[in-house]
Amino acid sequence: MASPPRTYSPPPLERPHTHAVDVNPALHRRILTFLNAAILPSDLEFAKPLFVHDHEGVPVEGHAHGESPTRRERIMDTADARRILALRHVEYPLGFTHLRQLTTGILDAVLETLHHHLGEHTYGEWASGAQAIPLKGPGTIQGVVHAALLRTGKVLFITADETTLVWDPEDVTAAAFQEPRNQPHSMPGGYSQLCGHHVFLSDGRLLCVGGGGYGSNPLARWGFKYDPLANTWERTSTPMSDSRWYPTAVALGDRRVLIACGHGTGEMDIYDESTDTFTHVDLDAKPFPSLYPGLHLLPNNSIFYTRTGWGTAGAGGGPFRGDDQSAFFTLTARHAGSWTAIAPAARDITDRTKGMSVMILDATRRHARVLAFGGADATTNNTYETCDASSMSAGTAWSAPIPFPDGEHRSLCSAVLLPDGNVFLSGGIQRSISPCAMFDPRTDTWSRAAELAGARDYHSMSLLLPSGKVMVAGWQNANIDIYSPPYLFNGPRPVIRSAPQIVGYGQRFDIEVPEAQDITRIVLVRPSAVTHQTDTEQRVIELSFFNARMRGQRDTLALTAPDADALHALAPPGYYMLFVLNHEGVPSVATWIRLVSMVAKPGATVTALQPFEGHVDLFVTTADGTVMSTFFEPDGGWRTWFAIHADTKLASGTTVTALQPFPGHVDLFATTGDGTVMSTFFEPDGGWRPWFPIHGEIKMKGGATVTALQPFPGHVDLFATTGDGTVMSTFFEPDGGWRPWFALHGATKMKGGATVTVLQPFEGHVDLFATTDDGTVMSTFFEPDGGWRPWFAIHAGVRVHPGAEVAPLLPFEGHVDLFATTGEGMVTSTFFEPDGGWRPWFTIS
């Protein structure tokens, strides 16, 4: 038997509400839409669910975090729902137009709950009173085209009137907009930066490449660097190989920048920050069918092309004949590389041009996922795609197009990565009061976000501010809009009271947060530099941490910076915003941290070695005992610092001793915190070998300097001091390896851990020098016919600083000078000559 139709009896009507309703316009519209869309009382009784995608990519109703669709939150009871529908049916058959039309009793009963479910706690909120961007340039079009968040918290705009302008988001007055001290377009050989691209260098300066204005410009071959502290522009020392209009720049992990496209040929340049020069890349070029190709640096150090861009990237090519297939680029040498296409797309491939792509990172699993939203084709731009880019190969493939749950078509949309891991999607819908959306990539769930008042399409952009808010601006709209995500309405914000300004890769560091026990997530967010829906800078990197209250520091969190794998491709060096988030997902205001290749322990000695002409190596130790190295070569300048087997920790800040016993071979020596002498060596066919102990059963003082000498080919001597001041030695010979440590006249004690210096004034003779606890300078020497002589004082009545290092020098045959510092900080010296022995110490004043 068929079921009877679902009906209900309308309750008695009440008089409409006659008092003022204190609700902002956005929430007012949202509540009216909710009330007018209801058909049955149950549509009003429960909160409208979020959207979740099933395994086939079909949108279904559900809740975030995997909750069952049946567990819907109640908004109002059945009686109130029935009364609202009855009132609308009888009095307002075309729908409510104002909340005053509801009866007093109903409105008082449901307004607070409706506010909670449809208000800023759920949707976020756009600020009222948007700031207008002033005209400052030579052009007449008001607005902006490019935006980059500077390390000062200010935003650099490249405006539609073809100049550059700095905006302070914390200032609501006209003074919020300032001009740089100079402008690229007014410099000798300069030009408009409009329609170029930009990335941040490791020191926080912004590099802009190409551009030239509203059309191709043969002058646009240079790079211009903006310094946010000096508020000035500077041109690069050399130009690119060609002019570029609508190029894409990607910051690499080794203080270099890859520049692609800008004219459709697929040729590329690399900018080297250390030399301030561009070099053409040797490759089989991949011509892009679009300008501004969407590129992302993956954690494995390859660059992924996403099919987003400007022009077209669908079937049949675009303004330039080229390959519309996604691919990844791998550097095979410093200035050479190759493209590898991923799994071929269908013939009716979705055109993602005029869409936007972002990369989601999971630092703990080295996982990378790329998402591309919207596009140019009105028949398919109501979808998005995802690609697992964790391990790129020719078989890597995009997902099938997945519909946006709200059914909207988005072209020229903007996507911003938020510190809580969500992606905020705005714009791209060519009408006012356009829907925005929030995507959670951890659960593939969507939720609605506050509607954008004005249309944001061509030349629109958005970026995350240090406040945790989102700035939206763009052409055809001279105003800046600010969006506060829902997390800013979920309770008090945690506060970062203190944090270091500079952090090295893999470094452990502490931050002070009064709410430490409530912190559940800490992230580094790279600032955006966006134009034309192209932003290669966005990345959110979650950090591992623990509460340090076990160390008696209740308000301290101990963090670990990203490690240095894959040439820093997970997190390129530079400035990042550090956010902490509590268990409610509420973020702090960001503090700025500079991530650098290496942070040595303050005061650590830098050791230099020139193993061959034109090449210089440096070695230094960090605070956690990691030995770091870099090298210089004329064709590439100083390379990025790298760890020499970071899993082995030496003493914090210990001096690394370097020795080249024969061409192509370099030895390093240093001590651990417990005094074990460790060594590693480099050979061209195997690189740096793992650290190994040299007879680790004998301990020096932790961190003591190891002195090395090669008195004759094939023989290496080492010297170091124990905690009780005994000078120990060992030596290496090919036929027996490292001999056991032995004491050099152990009855004579130096200051514990004192550095032993060594000099070989002539063949077969070796001198050693060290200082005692009372500052006496002691010496011994070796000769083949008598071995090591007993230690003796060099003028015992004169004292230097206890443990001071003695510097010996052989300026000419037969003459030896010594230098050291006294306890008062004076430099004192003595010298040896065969006819008079050691002369009295004297002060060099």
Side-chain angles (χ1 to χ4, degrees):
M1 179 180 295
S3 300
R6 298 174 64 185
T7 61
Y8 62 91
S9 302
L13 298 181
E14 301 180 28
R15 290 182 302 163
H17 195 286
T18 58
H19 303 293
V21 178
D22 186 18
V23 176
N24 69 58
L27 176 59
H28 200 159
R29 286 192 299 269
R30 213 171 292 135
I31 293 175
L32 291 177
T33 299
F34 174 72
L35 297 179
N36 289 331
I39 298 174
L40 300 172
S42 59
D43 295 331
L44 297 177
E45 290 179 64
F46 301 97
K48 195 167 186 178
L50 303 171
F51 285 101
V52 185
H53 290 301
D54 67 11
H55 296 294
E56 284 72 42
V58 178
V60 297
E61 290 187 348
H63 286 264
H65 313 299
E67 295 179 9
S68 168
T70 60
R71 298 177 58 187
R72 300 171 62 185
E73 295 183 75
R74 181 174 288 277
I75 291 182
M76 64 182 72
D77 59 34
T78 304
D80 287 333
R82 287 173 177 270
R83 280 192 287 270
I84 289 173
L85 288 180
L87 178 64
R88 192 192 70 193
H89 177 72
V90 175
E91 298 290 335
Y92 307 101
L94 297 180
F96 297 115
T97 59
H98 200 285
L99 287 177
R100 287 195 300 264
Q101 295 165 339
L102 292 176
T103 63
T104 302
I106 294 176
L107 188 61
D108 291 343
V110 302
L111 184 58
E112 182 176 350
T113 307
L114 287 171
H115 188 173
H116 173 75
H117 287 284
L118 300 175
E120 61 274 11
H121 300 85
T122 303
Y123 282 71
E125 184 177 72
W126 292 95
S128 59
Q131 288 179 286
I133 300 164
L135 279 166
K136 294 284 188 178
T140 59
I141 302 172
Q142 191 172 7
V144 297
V145 181
H146 307 247
L149 177 65
L150 306 171
R151 53 170 288 202
T152 58
K154 297 180 180 180
V155 177
L156 178 76
F157 289 132
I158 299 174
T159 65
D161 59 326
E162 299 193 70
T163 189
T164 64
L165 194 63
V166 180
W167 171 63
D168 184 355
E170 300 301 317
D171 190 346
V172 296
T173 70
F177 299 92
Q178 295 181 340
E179 295 181 71
R181 296 178 186 273
N182 59 349
Q183 294 284 359
H185 67 265
S186 61
M187 297 169 66
Y191 51 85
S192 167
Q193 295 301 290
L194 191 77
C195 298
H197 202 229
H198 25 60
V199 293
F200 286 104
L201 302 177
S202 67
D203 60 4
R205 290 178 298 169
L206 184 73
L207 173 70
C208 297
V209 292
Y214 288 101
S216 298
N217 187 333
L219 294 177
R221 300 179 59 210
W222 296 85
F224 286 83
K225 299 169 291 183
Y226 175 73
D227 185 334
L229 298 185
N231 194 27
T232 56
W233 286 94
E234 177 188 9
R235 197 175 73 170
T236 55
S237 63
T238 65
M240 294 178 285
S241 60
D242 198 356
S243 61
R244 296 182 184 274
W245 187 66
Y246 281 44
T248 298
V250 184
L252 305 178
D254 58 357
R255 298 175 68 239
R256 298 189 300 160
V257 177
L258 181 74
I259 301 99
C261 198
H263 41 54
T265 66
E267 296 294 321
M268 298 195 288
D269 287 294
I270 285 182
Y271 171 79
D272 192 323
E273 185 178 340
S274 63
T275 59
D276 192 32
T277 58
F278 292 93
T279 303
H280 183 258
V281 177
D282 182 15
L283 79 162
D284 291 329
K286 172 184 171 64
F288 296 100
S290 61
L291 297 168
Y292 279 133
L295 303 177
H296 297 281
L297 175 67
L298 300 176
N300 66 5
N301 209 41
S302 60
I303 292 96
F304 184 47
Y305 166 54
T306 68
R307 293 199 340 273
T308 59
W310 187 263
T312 185
F320 306 105
R321 297 184 61 184
D323 180 5
D324 57 14
Q325 177 56 41
S326 288
F328 60 95
F329 179 75
T330 305
L331 283 163
T332 56
R334 190 156 180 82
H335 299 111
S338 61
W339 283 100
T340 302
I342 67 171
R347 294 181 61 85
D348 58 348
I349 181 173
T350 302
D351 188 348
R352 293 289 172 208
T353 319
K354 302 184 185 178
M356 186 169 183
S357 59
V358 296
M359 180 174 62
I360 310 297
L361 294 171
D362 182 342
T364 59
R365 296 191 295 120
R366 309 302 273 185
H367 183 271
R369 186 183 183 199
V370 177
L371 295 81
F373 301 99
D377 189 340
T379 64
T380 58
N381 62 8
N382 59 340
T383 64
Y384 69 103
E385 295 176 34
T386 70
C387 181
D388 186 340
S390 303
S391 179
M392 298 300 295
S393 72
T396 302
W398 285 95
S399 71
I402 306 170
F404 288 127
D406 60 8
E408 293 288 347
H409 292 255
R410 289 177 166 90
S411 178
L412 303 162
C413 60
S414 294
V416 173
L417 302 181
L418 301 180
D420 64 354
N422 289 336
V423 183
F424 175 63
L425 203 61
S426 66
I429 301 171
Q430 284 67 42
R431 67 176 188 270
S432 60
I433 318 298
S434 62
C436 298
M438 198 76 74
F439 177 67
D440 186 343
R442 294 160 295 187
T443 57
D444 279 7
T445 57
W446 287 86
S447 56
R448 299 170 181 83
E451 301 81 1
L452 185 59
R456 297 285 185 179
D457 46 17
Y458 184 39
H459 284 177
S460 62
M461 75 221 43
S462 60
L463 56 77
L464 178 71
L465 298 172
S467 62
K469 299 177 182 179
V470 175
M471 178 217 80
V472 174
W475 208 24
Q476 299 184 6
N477 187 331
N479 292 333
I480 300 171
D481 287 314
I482 303 295
Y483 174 70
S484 295
Y487 53 49
L488 295 181
F489 302 95
N490 287 339
R493 304 185 69 172
V495 175
I496 301 175
R497 185 178 293 164
S498 66
Q501 295 182 343
I502 300 176
V503 174
Y505 287 96
Q507 179 182 337
R508 289 284 187 93
F509 64 99
D510 292 346
I511 63 173
E512 186 180 357
V513 179
E515 307 84 1
Q517 69 279 3
D518 293 328
I519 301 305
T520 59
R521 179 180 169 90
I522 302 178
V523 294
L524 290 178
V525 181
R526 191 167 174 92
S528 283
V530 59
T531 185
H532 292 75
Q533 287 68 50
T534 304
D535 186 354
T536 63
E537 291 285 60
Q538 280 200 94
R539 56 184 64 219
V540 177
I541 304 153
E542 188 164 2
L543 303 182
S544 60
F545 70 97
F546 66 89
N547 196 310
R549 63 178 179 272
M550 62 190 69
R551 303 192 319 223
Q553 299 168 290
R554 294 180 56 85
D555 295 345
T556 301
L557 297 172
L559 285 63
T560 302
D563 64 33
D565 289 350
L567 294 175
H568 315 328
L570 176 68
Y575 283 87
Y576 288 78
M577 293 181 283
L578 178 73
F579 289 94
V580 301
L581 296 90
N582 62 23
H583 63 281
E584 295 291 343
V586 180
S588 64
V589 172
T591 189
W592 288 94
I593 282 184
R594 185 180 180 186
L595 185 61
V596 298
S597 300
M598 185 277 301
V599 179
K601 183 176 181 180
T605 298
V606 179
T607 301
L609 179 73
Q610 185 181 23
F612 53 88
E613 186 175 356
H615 182 104
V616 176
D617 289 302
L618 297 184
F619 308 96
V620 71
T621 312
T622 64
D624 73 349
T626 302
V627 175
M628 304 294 295
S629 179
T630 182
F631 60 92
F632 175 91
E633 289 186 333
D635 65 350
W638 287 105
R639 302 305 204 271
T640 301
W641 288 94
F642 61 92
I644 298 179
H645 299 295
D647 53 326
T648 298
K649 301 300 183 185
L650 288 302
S652 176
T654 187
T655 298
V656 180
T657 300
L659 183 73
Q660 186 184 23
F662 53 87
H665 183 103
V666 174
D667 288 302
L668 299 185
F669 308 97
T671 52
T672 63
D674 73 352
T676 302
V677 175
M678 303 293 292
S679 179
T680 181
F681 61 91
F682 175 91
E683 290 187 332
D685 61 354
W688 288 104
R689 302 307 202 274
W691 290 92
F692 61 92
I694 298 178
H695 298 296
E697 68 278 5
I698 301 297
K699 305 296 184 185
M700 310 304 154
K701 183 173 182 180
T705 298
V706 180
T707 302
L709 175 72
Q710 185 185 26
F712 52 87
H715 183 102
V716 175
D717 288 303
L718 298 185
F719 308 95
T721 312
T722 64
D724 73 352
T726 303
V727 176
M728 304 294 294
S729 180
T730 182
F731 61 91
F732 175 92
E733 289 187 333
D735 61 355
W738 288 105
R739 302 307 200 273
W741 290 95
F742 60 92
L744 291 181
H745 301 294
T748 301
K749 304 296 184 183
M750 309 302 153
K751 183 175 177 63
T755 298
V756 179
T757 52
V758 61
L759 183 73
Q760 186 179 21
F762 53 87
E763 186 175 354
H765 183 102
V766 175
D767 289 301
L768 299 185
F769 308 95
T771 53
T772 65
D773 266 328
D774 68 356
T776 302
V777 175
M778 305 295 292
S779 179
T780 182
F781 61 91
F782 176 91
E783 289 186 332
D785 61 355
W788 288 104
R789 302 305 200 273
W791 290 94
F792 62 92
I794 299 179
H795 298 298
V798 177
R799 301 287 190 268
V800 299
H801 186 70
E805 185 172 328
V806 180
L809 179 70
L810 181 72
F812 51 87
E813 187 175 353
H815 182 104
V816 175
D817 289 301
L818 298 185
F819 306 93
T821 55
T822 68
E824 294 79 25
M826 305 297 290
V827 176
T828 187
S829 178
T830 182
F831 60 91
F832 175 92
E833 288 186 333
D835 61 354
W838 289 104
R839 300 305 200 273
W841 291 91
F842 60 93
T843 300
I844 300 177
S845 58

